[in-house]
Amino acid sequence: MTILFAAPEFDADAWRRRIAAVAGGRAIAVEGSDAYDPAAIRYALVWQPPAGLLAALPNLEAIFNLGAGVDRLMADTTLPDVPIVRVVDPNLTGRMTEWVTLQVLTHQRSALAFLARQKAHEWVEEASPAASAVRVGIMGLGELGRDAVEVLVRLGFQVAGWSRSARTVPGIETHSGAAGLDAFLARTDILVVLLPLTDETRGILNAGLFAKLARDGALGGPVLINAGRGGLQVEADILAALDAGVLKAASLDVFGTEPLPATSPLWERDDVVITPHVAAISDPSALCRGIVAQIEAHERGEELKHVVDRALGY
Ligand code: NDP
Ligand code: OXD
């Protein structure tokens, strides 16, 4: 029984050591470095593996995606019919909540305006409404969205959430589906996006959606915060909405093309915070421990957890 590691962008030697440290003597093969028998592979740990690779493993029992989002993996139309397990990890969830909270507070406390004043050596009291006066709307009430809700509610923000299916989340108003979207947007000053990229959500952050956000809020205009996936957003529409004042500002961790090209006009803007897809960098050792624990449970006959619903795409 061999575990295959196939993540061309990652440091293969470091990952081999991490997996070996917890794999209890199981054989490990690294795609691109090691010769291996495809029939020996039972489990594959992958991040953006070469298309077709997994289909060539006749005895594969599970695919472990080394990230929470599976959109890139699911784009491989040859994927074999075995469970796909995605990352759900308290460390990753906590890191995302840190990033979301940082961005929400940045906009609520006028941090961009204060930085500009500092550069100009200007002692000016910028308006900064209390959290209780600001309405945050979270698109995506999954593992990440629900954790961010808890912290933002604790800070005093008026929080609402939107999901595909109807959800009850303590302490917040919830909306769901296409029918619930407009009411959710109409009460939202800061829109936090923690959606997966699927056929249904691609391009959802567009001019039409931005126009439906609240215009009467304490921040003087709506703010977009996206850490879901770049494919959710239409970047030309974000730029146009910022220029037209339909959006006041944005914080973006994800982009249609990553790395964000140096020529992107987003770089130039002082109303946009850019981070390079680092909102929730996973702790690799924690991921390896979690995956090997799942393999052990699977070998005891237990069900795998955090299995992707292929029909839904997340
Ligand atoms: P989950 O699968 O736990 O939650 C997804 C949420 O999105 C659910 O509430 C789901 O609704 C909702 N959703 C999905 N499709 C739709 C739709 N069509 N309409 C409305 N709501 C929808 O995912 P996670 O919270 O773990 O992660 C979310 C995403 O965050 C990942 O897919 C990934 O793309 C991104 N991510 C980004 C990282 C970064 O560093 N920037 C790091 C980690 C993840 P329902 O509850 O009804 O199922
Ligand atoms: C992701 C991740 O899905 O880093 O972006 O987990």
Side-chain angles (χ1 to χ4, degrees):
M1 192 285 276
T2 300
I3 297 174
L4 177 67
F5 174 80
E9 289 179 10
F10 291 2
D11 178 342
D13 289 338
W15 277 86
R16 189 199 296 277
R17 283 194 296 276
R18 285 182 198 112
I19 299 167
V22 291
R26 293 173 178 84
I28 301 163
V30 173
E31 172 65 21
S33 308
D34 299 337
Y36 61 88
D37 173 6
I41 305 296
R42 292 285 190 281
Y43 307 102
L45 277 57
V46 303
W47 181 251
Q48 300 178 14
L53 172 78
L54 298 165
L57 306 174
N59 297 314
L60 191 64
E61 292 180 25
I63 300 167
F64 292 90
N65 188 57
L66 293 169
V70 292
D71 44 290
R72 293 287 289 271
L73 180 63
M74 300 285 284
D76 179 351
T77 52
T78 69
L79 282 185
D81 187 17
V82 300
I84 297 171
V85 178
R86 69 189 195 91
V87 170
V88 174
D89 174 70
N91 176 274
L92 179 141
T93 302
R95 301 311 305 258
M96 180 60 86
T97 297
E98 291 170 6
W99 186 89
V100 167
T101 307
L102 173 68
Q103 302 310 324
V104 169
L105 291 174
T106 290
H107 296 290
Q108 175 242 336
R109 294 302 302 255
S110 309
L112 299 183
F114 283 119
L115 282 175
R117 296 292 187 190
Q118 182 177 341
K119 274 195 186 142
H121 298 200
E122 288 173 355
W123 184 274
V124 175
E125 283 187 31
E126 294 286 347
S128 198
S132 59
V134 177
R135 298 164 294 183
V136 178
I138 303 194
M139 293 180 97
L141 291 174
E143 297 291 335
L144 304 180
R146 290 195 307 273
D147 196 67
V149 163
E150 276 183 33
V151 173
L152 295 172
V153 166
R154 169 69 191 83
L155 287 171
F157 289 97
Q158 300 173 45
V159 182
W162 183 72
S163 51
R164 186 185 52 78
S165 52
R167 302 250 164 214
T168 303
V169 179
I172 69 162
E173 167 190 323
T174 54
H175 303 259
S176 60
L181 184 56
D182 285 6
F184 165 78
L185 296 171
R187 53 72 62 208
T188 292
D189 302 316
I190 298 182
L191 183 66
V192 174
V193 185
L194 292 170
L195 288 171
L197 180 61
T198 66
D199 291 344
E200 278 190 32
T201 61
R202 187 177 301 280
I204 192 171
L205 304 175
N206 57 38
L209 180 142
F210 302 147
K212 293 177 181 169
L213 289 163
R215 306 223 51 81
D216 59 351
L219 297 177
V223 171
L224 169 68
I225 296 176
N226 182 18
R229 278 290 182 268
L232 299 168
Q233 69 202 14
V234 180
E235 282 160 25
D237 287 7
I238 295 176
L239 288 160
L242 290 165
D243 285 340
V246 172
L247 287 177
K248 182 185 176 196
S251 291
L252 306 174
D253 183 59
V254 286
F255 301 89
T257 302
E258 294 180 2
L260 181 64
T263 51
S264 169
L266 286 166
W267 287 111
E268 303 297 330
R269 305 198 63 113
D270 53 15
D271 50 5
V272 177
V273 176
I274 290 175
T275 54
H277 200 142
V278 293
I281 293 285
S282 318
D283 170 359
S285 297
L287 295 195
C288 292
R289 282 195 299 276
I291 289 168
V292 171
Q294 284 246 60
I295 290 174
E296 287 168 354
H298 175 74
E299 287 174 346
R300 289 194 300 268
E302 295 169 25
E303 274 193 18
L304 289 165
K305 292 184 277 189
H306 316 307
V307 173
V308 170
D309 181 325
R310 288 196 183 217
L312 294 175
Y314 69 96

